[in-house]
Amino acid sequence: MTIGETLREGYTMLYYAEVETPMLDSIVLLAEAVGMTKEKLYASFTHSIEEGQYGRFREFLHDRCSGVPVSYICRRKEFYGKEFFVDPRVLVPRPDTEILVDYAFSLVKTHGYIRNIHDACTGSGCIAITIQTLLPEAAVSASDISGAAKEVFEENCRRILGQGAGIPFFVSDLLAGVKGTYDMIVSNPPYLTDRETSDLKKIGWPEPELALRGGTDGTEPSRRLIRQAPQRLAAGGYLVLESAPPHMDVLRLFMEKNGFTDIAVVCDLGQRPRVIAGRLAAGRQRDE
């Protein structure tokens, strides 16, 4: 069987399994199975596929038809031009989260005093590590409630930042176990509703429930983070959060109630409100 014939077989299998992008997924998984770049794969359609490569591809297809994301199968996901290691211990980074990084970076460039930055609910570390690569002079730290996520985070630090260039990490429920004072706190906290999370888990969604479940209305972790942030932010410090578009009005009001001003909402790639940011008013820090 040729590589081209194998690709068509994979496409057909994924199409009838109602995978959203059957051709793209088939290409990525076949390239992974045969150890080629996509470009080399395109140039090799008439070449025969080895038996072991074909068997590996069929295993990948079975996993994909069962709902396993391509990123988990390949154990990697590109984010902001960097390749991050991912597996079922962490959420797969989404392109829309790059909007949060862009906005945080713009705030740093606008306000020269922002030097200490903390990423809560870091997961794979895609936000914290990307910010550190963009701002090598910044003091970046990260936290997550999951000890298993810490292992993935540290692996990505080694791969992307290099040996001995890790980022301080706290195992913490949001900011409860985080130490220090920061000029900016960024976060992509869980923001699916409990019902949405349960529905996904019923169909076998593989991402960790801790990274998805946002409470009854999806805003519970975000509201807790907004309440905790003044304990960790310096005067004039920024809180930058990702959330779902329907949550923005609620989060804006909650940020105002907790002493944040200059609140801005930023749209994602589909022009939907995705990131909300606010600046802590002077005198609103709380004692620990």
Side-chain angles (χ1 to χ4, degrees):
M1 181 178 285
T2 67
I3 285 178
E5 290 168 339
T6 305
L7 180 62
R8 286 192 291 273
E9 179 182 307
Y11 165 78
T12 301
M13 186 172 174
L14 296 179
Y15 176 82
Y16 283 106
E18 299 184 344
V19 171
E20 186 174 349
T21 53
M23 180 54 77
L24 176 60
D25 290 7
S26 186
I27 290 169
V28 172
L29 294 176
L30 183 55
E32 180 73 14
V34 301
M36 294 181 181
T37 64
K38 288 186 289 185
E39 292 74 20
K40 188 174 181 181
L41 186 77
Y42 297 146
S44 306
F45 278 7
T46 60
H47 297 184
S48 296
I49 187 168
E50 297 176 7
E51 183 177 346
Q53 295 172 340
Y54 179 73
R56 189 156 56 248
F57 181 55
R58 293 287 299 186
E59 290 177 4
F60 291 166
L61 291 174
H62 176 76
D63 289 344
R64 188 69 188 100
C65 289
S66 299
V68 180
V70 170
S71 299
Y72 284 167
I73 297 171
C74 297
R75 291 295 194 260
R76 62 178 181 272
K77 176 67 175 179
E78 183 178 316
F79 182 86
Y80 224 93
K82 302 286 191 297
E83 192 172 271
F84 284 80
F85 171 78
V86 293
D87 67 16
R89 291 174 289 180
V90 296
L91 197 73
V92 175
R94 268 63 166 182
D96 283 338
T97 302
E98 294 184 3
I99 304 301
L100 184 151
V101 173
D102 282 338
Y103 191 71
F105 183 67
S106 72
L107 287 174
V108 173
K109 291 303 180 182
T110 301
H111 304 286
Y113 62 83
I114 298 177
R115 288 290 180 269
N116 298 307
I117 303 170
H118 183 78
D119 174 26
C121 307
T122 195
S124 67
C126 64
I127 295 174
I129 293 170
T130 300
I131 289 175
Q132 187 70 85
T133 62
L134 292 171
L135 301 164
E137 72 283 1
V140 179
S141 61
S143 60
D144 200 284
I145 194 172
S146 168
K150 180 176 185 287
E151 298 171 6
V152 178
F153 173 85
E154 290 176 343
E155 175 66 21
N156 281 319
C157 283
R158 285 191 292 271
R159 291 188 180 201
I160 297 172
L161 300 177
Q163 292 288 346
I167 292 173
F169 183 98
F170 303 91
V171 176
S172 174
D173 181 5
L174 300 179
L175 300 175
V178 173
K179 305 299 182 183
T181 301
Y182 302 94
D183 304 312
M184 178 185 291
I185 295 171
V186 297
S187 183
N188 178 17
Y191 57 75
L192 294 186
T193 66
D194 287 346
R195 181 173 181 176
E196 289 168 337
T197 305
S198 297
D199 288 346
L200 286 175
K201 286 301 175 181
K202 285 177 185 176
I203 62 173
W205 196 261
E207 291 183 295
E209 187 169 337
L210 272 175
L212 300 171
R213 189 177 291 278
T216 304
D217 68 351
T219 69
E220 190 270 336
S222 298
R223 287 185 284 111
R224 287 176 55 212
L225 195 52
I226 291 167
R227 282 196 300 267
Q228 293 175 356
Q231 300 172 9
R232 293 282 159 241
L233 281 173
Y238 278 88
L239 176 63
V240 186
L241 302 177
E242 178 177 334
S243 195
H247 300 164
M248 293 300 167
D249 289 342
V250 170
L251 295 181
R252 176 188 288 275
L253 290 173
F254 207 73
M255 291 181 84
E256 290 173 351
K257 180 180 177 182
N258 282 269
F260 288 91
T261 62
D262 301 330
I263 297 170
V265 174
V266 185
C267 290
D268 62 19
L269 302 174
Q271 297 306 305
R272 298 161 297 190
R274 182 63 61 186
V275 172
I276 185 167
R279 188 177 190 180
L280 185 66
R284 288 304 299 258
Q285 301 95 316
R286 300 177 188 170
D287 295 332
E288 298 195 35

